[in-house]
């Protein structure tokens, strides 16, 4: 997400992907801040705050502006039309949430996953413009999960996910790079689900397994690893160096990359 804040960020990410040796697959998170905005839209609609429409309109312009900035005109038109159709769907779901005063998990899961769909489509379009055969995959068509009743991450149905991946691959031409939506999945009945906040790293691990990847690289646009959480410790500094042992200890204790 932090690596996809602006159009310039998408271009830099595209440079990195173009330079990486194939075969490669990329898991895209939503542009920074987008998932929070989508969650706020559901909350507002369910509380009958008409402000949800402005939140959605602002998200629409933010994505359309990026598309206009970095995607060549012909492809941009198609993508902008797709974004407009998605916005219509979002507004219908949010309108239903308004009528029903419904801020249920199903509504959140459907709406909050939209950021990843747009990010993956924009990334695939810019990679195509760079001359790669790139396909965007909506993970809701492939990844099957069973949502947990607690706040824990959902469990993956590996067998069905493998089957759906095979079916998806058969239906799509081979590509130089696969751009997959992070964070989102679907239940066995096809109902949109998510992997929980910051779930795109989890998506990357799952798809690495599904695609038999040899390595996973997780990118974040940050200055480095800090000595402490700067939101809690005002004199936290970026560390000069970190041993593998220290990094793995930090990871074990759940250090957050944002
Ligand atoms: N976009 C989702 C979130 O903000 C997933 C992720 O960023 O990993 O939680
Ligand atoms: Mg993120």
């Amino acid at each position: 997400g932090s690596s996809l804040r602006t159009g310039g960020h998408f271009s830099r990410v595209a440079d990195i992907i173009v330079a990486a040796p194939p075969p490669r697959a990329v898991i895209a998170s939503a542009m920074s801040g987008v998932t929070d905005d989508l969650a706020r839209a559901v909350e507002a609609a369910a509380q009958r705050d008409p402000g949800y429409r402005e939140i959605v309109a602002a998200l629409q312009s933010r994505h359309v502006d990026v598309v206009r900035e970095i995607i060549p005109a012909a492809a941009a038109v198609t993508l902008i039309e797709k974004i407009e159709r998605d916005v219509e769907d979002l507004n219908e779901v949010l309108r239903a949430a308004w009528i029903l005063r419904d801020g249920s998990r199903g509504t959140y899961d459907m709406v909050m996953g939209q950021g990843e769909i747009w990010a993956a489509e924009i990334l695939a379009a810019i990679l195509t413009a760079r001359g790669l055969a790139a396909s965007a995959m909506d993970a809701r068509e492939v990844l099957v999960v069973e949502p947990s009743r607690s706040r824990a991450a959902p469990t993956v149905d590996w067998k069905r996910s493998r089957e759906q991946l095979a079916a998806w691959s058969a239906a799509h031409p081979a590509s130089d790079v696969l751009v997959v939506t992070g964070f989102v999945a679907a239940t066995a009945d096809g109902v949109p689900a998510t992997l929980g906040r910051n779930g795109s790293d989890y998506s990357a691990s799952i798809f690495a397994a599904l695609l038999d990847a040899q390595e996973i690289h997780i990118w974040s646009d940050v200055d480095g690893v800090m000595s402490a959480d700067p939101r809690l410790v005002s004199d936290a500094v970026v560390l000069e160096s970190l041993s593998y042992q220290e990094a793995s200890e930090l990871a074990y204790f759940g250090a957050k990359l944002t």
Side-chain angles (χ1 to χ4, degrees), residues 29-30 35 116 183 197-200:
S29 179
T35 314
E116 273 68 14
F183 186 49
R197 292 311 304 269
N198 300 306
S200 293

Side-chain angles (χ1 to χ4, degrees), residues 175-201:
S175 61
D176 299 327
V177 54
L178 199 57
V179 185
V180 183
T181 54
F183 186 49
V184 298
T187 66
D189 299 326
V191 178
T194 65
L195 302 183
R197 292 311 304 269
N198 300 306
S200 293
D201 292 359

